Amino acid sequence: MAALSAEVPARLLRTARALWGCRPRRGLGQDAATAGGEKAAKPSFTDEAVQNLLYKMTGLNLQKVFRPVKKELKPPTYKLMTEAQLKEATRKAIEEAKKRLIMPPVLDEREPIDDVLAEDKVLEGTETTKYIFTDLTYSVPHRERFIVVREPNGVLRKATWEERDRMIQIFFPQEGRRVIPPVLFKDEHLGTVFQQDRHEDVLNMCIAQFEPDSADYIRVHHRTYDDIEKHAKYDLLRSTRHFGGMVWYLVNRKKTDGLLIDMINRDLLDDAMSLITLYHMLHPECPSAKEAKEGKLQGVDLIKAFAKTESQKEGYIQLALQAYEEAMATSTAS
Amino acid sequence: GSRLLKGYRGGHVVIRFARGGCTNRPFYRIVAAHSRRARDGKYLEQLGCLDPLPNSRGEKVAGLNLERLRHWLGCGAQLSPPAEKLLGLAGFLPLHPMTVTGAERLRRRRAQEAVAQPADG
């Protein structure tokens, strides 16, 4: 299961622009408006501030981003460069890495389609199977394509999302996508893949196979994030484009403790602070957010306040902070 | 002379099915062609396809390029009866009267058989 080539980010940019541009969506985990009306200031996944925080946390490990992908065996090429050329090549590599780290869209699940166009009782009993008609006009975007089903009982209805995806893949095949989704994405088989630590490959395949607002896409992503959170394998996704989505999911469900401990253990205090800032942006009415705003806390104090009020694993966070401070003390002393 | 560069006297554009596929495995292409051409011969444009055998999900898949279909209908193309019936089923045209007649005939025949069977058995 090789990771996908760099064609994917370009396609995702187009999908992302098409989807985010025409349908501003609110983030995951936010229920419908309460009786008091929705808060206009609730940040969504696509806000600039949120995206900046998530991007900072993702990290930019060039070695991991440009890890060799399983391709045809070719002997390596060596280039002789001056210092200036090497700097230029590194700069270009960083730009390319930024393109590969564009986060895939996070959208709400799409509403099921059930719309009946015509009912012709006369046709009942004539056919034994249904007909699916797809409009093959080339210039129509896939979201607006007409795909209708004539049932054996004479009802002419719009096709469901799964039927739509299948028909569009049959007539307008996309690379990396199969007509019938692979069996891998069923819940019982995901466990096997997770044991082999191949979360990133699963997520790449999922992005290629499903639409971002389909139920399967959201289910596979949530399963992956839950498994990572259960076994604390956050580093698998660091410096990939899935990290932002994972952080968004965890912060919305307030399961950030493991991630926080992992960041402190790896001495990534800036990331820890970005995480807590994001948390406060999304849950402004929680006690630690109010404390932080009043006291204008920074750095380790912010983490300590957060640990005291919001987290379940307060002890672990305190231990990790202590270890970090001791390490800092010994390194500055020596 | 060449079979491809034929000129005909009279004839008109029809939208009909051209059979492809293999023995006992038909596959129809919905095609705009001259009426005097062979059924599977040179056509003006392919407007879609129909697979008459149901797939693993129990559906008969058909694709129709509605934009080009509208263009040819606007140019004055005629439709063959099976093509008209298919478009009627699709909802692009109203239901063909023969579809309705066929359905009623089938129902009447089934009713007669149902009456005849208990009378015999």
Side-chain angles (χ1 to χ4, degrees), chain A residues 157-170:
Chain A
R157 60 170 175 86
K158 286 192 187 170
T160 60
W161 284 112
E162 287 77 32
E163 286 164 350
R164 282 188 68 92
D165 287 337
R166 253 187 312 127
M167 289 300 121
I168 289 171
Q169 181 57 18
I170 289 177

Side-chain angles (χ1 to χ4, degrees), chain A residues 224-234 313:
Chain A
T224 319
Y225 298 151
D226 286 331
D227 187 83
I228 290 183
E229 203 252 328
K230 198 165 67 161
H231 300 282
K233 294 180 184 167
Y234 305 100
K313 298 186 190 167

Side-chain angles (χ1 to χ4, degrees), chain A residues 11-29:
Chain A
R11 176 170 64 79
L12 272 177
L13 257 180
R14 264 185 278 127
T15 337
R17 229 180 282 134
L19 286 172
W20 299 354
C22 63
R23 281 191 298 181
R25 292 273 184 184
R26 291 153 69 213
L28 282 176

Side-chain angles (χ1 to χ4, degrees), chain B residues 26-49:
Chain B
F27 182 83
Y28 298 105
R29 276 169 299 150
I30 304 164
V31 132
H34 272 298
S35 63
R36 299 283 186 96
R37 278 277 180 193
R39 181 196 69 191
D40 298 339
K42 186 177 177 193
Y43 50 79
L44 297 162
E45 190 180 346
Q46 180 178 353
L47 305 171
C49 56

Side-chain angles (χ1 to χ4, degrees), chain A residues 57-296:
Chain A
M57 280 193 260
T58 309
L60 194 71
N61 184 0
L62 285 174
Q63 296 299 324
K64 187 169 177 191
V65 173
F66 292 111
R67 184 185 43 197
V69 158
K70 270 210 187 110
K71 273 190 190 161
E72 275 179 50
L73 256 185
K74 260 191 308 190
T77 51
Y78 296 98
K79 287 189 192 157
L80 193 62
M81 288 189 188
T82 61
E83 281 283 341
Q85 281 174 335
L86 184 64
K87 244 187 265 178
E88 175 68 23
T90 327
R91 190 185 62 79
K92 268 201 219 151
I94 290 182
E95 273 181 30
E96 173 78 30
K98 279 197 189 145
K99 255 195 286 183
R100 286 200 190 184
L101 288 181
I102 292 177
M103 293 179 223
V106 173
L107 304 166
D108 292 336
E109 201 176 313
R110 54 193 177 189
E111 305 286 339
I113 309 176
D114 48 359
D115 202 6
V116 167
L117 300 173
E119 291 190 20
D120 297 304
K121 292 288 188 295
V122 276
L123 294 177
E124 215 165 315
T126 47
E127 295 283 339
T128 48
T129 49
K130 45 185 167 165
Y131 281 88
I132 293 196
F133 298 99
T134 318
D135 179 19
L136 301 180
T137 317
Y138 195 65
S139 55
V140 156
H142 289 323
R143 292 262 158 177
E144 293 160 28
R145 210 168 271 288
F146 290 119
I147 302 185
V148 293
V149 176
R150 174 74 77 172
E151 299 273 359
N153 60 0
V155 150
L156 185 69
R157 60 170 175 86
K158 286 192 187 170
T160 60
W161 284 112
E162 287 77 32
E163 286 164 350
R164 282 188 68 92
D165 287 337
R166 253 187 312 127
M167 289 300 121
I168 289 171
Q169 181 57 18
I170 289 177
F171 287 110
F172 302 96
Q174 213 172 49
E175 206 201 302
R177 208 178 265 216
R178 296 220 189 144
V179 176
I180 300 182
V183 192
L184 176 76
F185 293 117
K186 298 215 168 101
D187 284 323
E188 52 273 17
H189 300 113
L190 280 177
T192 332
V193 187
F194 291 154
Q195 274 170 10
Q196 298 175 358
D197 278 353
R198 300 176 86 165
H199 302 77
E200 196 195 334
D201 298 328
V202 166
L203 287 179
N204 282 335
M205 281 181 71
C206 177
I207 291 180
Q209 177 69 37
F210 300 114
E211 293 286 311
D213 51 357
S214 72
D216 284 311
Y217 179 98
I218 293 175
R219 175 182 58 85
V220 171
H221 276 253
H222 288 193
R223 269 291 308 264
T224 319
Y225 298 151
D226 286 331
D227 187 83
I228 290 183
E229 203 252 328
K230 198 165 67 161
H231 300 282
K233 294 180 184 167
Y234 305 100
D235 203 45
L236 284 173
L237 288 195
R238 200 164 266 137
S239 208
T240 61
R241 56 193 173 142
H242 311 291
F243 195 76
M246 180 180 76
V247 171
W248 179 261
Y249 173 79
L250 294 174
V251 172
N252 268 304
R253 280 155 185 72
K254 302 196 177 178
K255 290 183 185 167
T256 50
D257 303 325
L259 184 57
L260 198 55
I261 297 171
D262 184 78
M263 279 173 174
I264 301 176
N265 283 336
R266 289 177 204 270
D267 295 340
L268 296 165
L269 267 222
D270 297 325
D271 287 351
M273 284 198 300
S274 320
L275 179 64
I276 299 179
T277 327
L278 187 66
Y279 189 100
H280 291 166
M281 274 169 69
L282 278 173
H283 303 282
E285 67 297 329
C286 70
S288 79
K290 295 195 186 114
E291 263 190 52
K293 226 174 22 174
E294 289 158 22
K296 298 240 193 286

